[in-house]
Amino acid sequence: MPKRVLQGVVVSDKGEKTIVVKVERRFTHPVMKKTVRRSKNYHAHDEANAAKVGQTVFIEECRPFSKTKTWKLVEGASEVAASA
């Protein structure tokens, strides 16, 4: 089964080898027919502590690293985000 990859913005890099990424999704409300924005924070593993606050990064589903951390930073995403 393929692993999910999400794109989001780093909102915190305070943890050791951990970043918090805010992922926003948009959908049409079933009754109101308006576009609704919902966001969710994901804890992701950042082995090299490369990502900084405000960068746009890609995170990938992986094995659990801890109780809350089941995503990891995609390799090479920090270089893409830094140049953008």
Side-chain angles (χ1 to χ4, degrees):
M1 192 162 114
K3 296 182 179 179
R4 292 185 298 163
V5 176
L6 299 176
Q7 181 180 7
V9 177
V10 178
V11 293
S12 173
D13 61 354
K14 301 272 188 223
E16 183 66 27
K17 297 186 180 179
T18 302
I19 57 174
V20 180
V21 180
K22 181 182 286 293
V23 176
E24 187 178 273
R25 66 187 183 95
R26 292 177 174 210
F27 61 96
T28 303
H29 191 280
V31 176
M32 301 298 186
K33 306 299 184 201
K34 289 181 72 173
T35 302
V36 182
R37 296 184 335 183
R38 290 282 182 257
S39 62
K40 187 172 177 182
N41 287 343
Y42 293 93
H43 293 253
H45 185 71
D46 181 9
E47 184 66 37
N49 285 325
K52 301 299 176 200
V53 174
Q55 286 184 334
T56 301
V57 295
F58 290 95
I59 56 175
E60 180 182 54
E61 211 174 19
C62 67
R63 67 177 177 81
F65 284 99
S66 67
K67 180 180 175 181
T68 59
K69 200 162 63 166
T70 58
W71 295 81
K72 66 180 177 181
L73 183 67
V74 174
E75 295 301 321
S78 55
E79 290 83 13
V80 172
S83 64

